[in-house]
Amino acid sequence: MHWLYLAIAVVFEVAVAVSAGKAQGFTRLGWSVATLVSGGIATYVLSLALITFEVGVGYAIWTSAAGVGIVFLGALFFGQRLDWRKLLGIAAVIAGVVGLQLTGTA
Amino acid sequence: MSIATATATTATTAATVGPSPAAATSKRTRAWLVLLLAGIFEVGYALAVGGSQGFTVLPWSIVAVVFFLLTLLALSISLRTIDVGIGYAVWAGIGAVGAALLGPVFFPETLTLGKAAWLALIIGGVVWLKLSDRPTAESTER
């Protein structure tokens, strides 16, 4: 269940990044509200995940998975290139998460 | 402050506005200090969200909300001057490393060498990712 909570929190954190970018330093009201609302939801669901995950482990996986999600979103919808450098970063994140899970710490 | 002093200050400020290299440098320094602060707020946010136990513990919950707003505010201010990719990388890196190091200080957690190594791979990966996620010319236009 804590992995599901973490996944939901990641989705809303990606929404935070997208709306924060559109809010342009909180000068646009609609996108600023969207940033705060999705941030609030992400925070609450993350707190549910962190009941089980250790803070350092859960937080690192959450913020990194969101980073990966943002890059994928950029490649899928905003025409950004998915080059070898990005793929290397994504691979490192995935390897780290798998490693944590295999050693029983996540 | 007397009105005369205030007027004098305004005049001085107006005189220094423009492409002064010294002013630009101090603006960058200030932006980096604000970014550092945003990273510290993010560590506080992570710890407080964890301590809130699903927002059932009131003191941690209040601290979490305060740090949530502070980290967003400080990050958005610093990103007016600092490149988004670099800013996010530093901010996320400080937040994740800080949470991993301070988690065991505040909660019954342990940071073993193995766990630290996998965490370093994850955090290094996301910092690398943010650094290589250069915004396109279109998205940097303001």
Side-chain angles (χ1 to χ4, degrees):
Chain A
M1 198 62 183
H2 53 295
W3 281 102
L4 179 66
Y5 285 139
L6 202 68
I8 297 171
V10 165
V11 170
F12 279 98
E13 183 64 5
V14 173
V16 170
V18 172
S19 39
K22 302 244 183 214
Q24 302 202 335
F26 291 99
T27 51
R28 290 179 177 178
L29 183 66
W31 286 109
S32 305
V33 171
T35 306
L36 289 175
V37 170
S38 36
I41 298 172
T43 301
Y44 177 67
V45 187
L46 174 67
S47 79
L48 296 179
L50 291 184
I51 294 175
T52 310
F53 280 109
E54 291 189 355
V55 172
V57 172
Y59 178 82
I61 297 175
W62 173 67
T63 195
S64 306
V68 171
I70 290 159
V71 168
F72 274 131
L73 209 66
L76 277 175
F77 298 106
F78 300 105
Q80 284 168 1
R81 296 241 319 269
L82 203 59
D83 55 12
W84 67 270
R85 295 174 50 163
K86 291 179 187 173
L87 290 174
L88 188 66
I90 293 169
V93 169
I94 293 172
V97 174
V98 171
L100 279 177
Q101 215 185 358
L102 289 181
T103 52
T105 43
Chain B
M1 191 192 281
S2 72
I3 294 169
T5 324
T7 316
T9 313
T10 315
T12 317
T13 314
T16 51
V17 167
S20 148
T25 309
S26 98
K27 192 186 170 202
R28 288 207 69 79
T29 309
R30 232 177 308 136
W32 276 97
L33 287 177
V34 174
L35 181 64
L36 197 69
L37 208 58
I40 294 167
F41 289 151
E42 185 67 5
V43 176
Y45 163 81
L47 295 173
V49 169
S52 77
Q53 293 286 310
F55 282 84
T56 56
V57 182
L58 190 62
W60 278 118
S61 306
I62 294 170
V63 174
V65 171
V66 170
F67 274 126
F68 168 71
L69 296 173
L70 284 176
T71 193
L72 267 183
L73 184 72
L75 180 66
S76 72
I77 290 173
S78 69
L79 289 186
R80 284 177 199 163
T81 308
I82 299 168
D83 178 89
V84 175
I86 295 170
Y88 266 121
V90 171
W91 174 73
I94 295 174
V97 170
L101 291 179
L102 292 180
V105 176
F106 288 89
F107 310 110
E109 301 178 357
T110 50
L111 187 63
T112 60
L113 199 63
K115 201 191 291 179
W118 291 119
L119 282 175
L121 187 61
I122 294 177
I123 297 167
V126 77
V127 168
W128 170 269
L129 198 58
K130 302 250 184 224
L131 286 177
S132 50
D133 196 16
R134 291 284 159 165
T136 56
E138 184 205 31
S139 63
T140 47
E141 272 175 20
R142 282 285 153 93

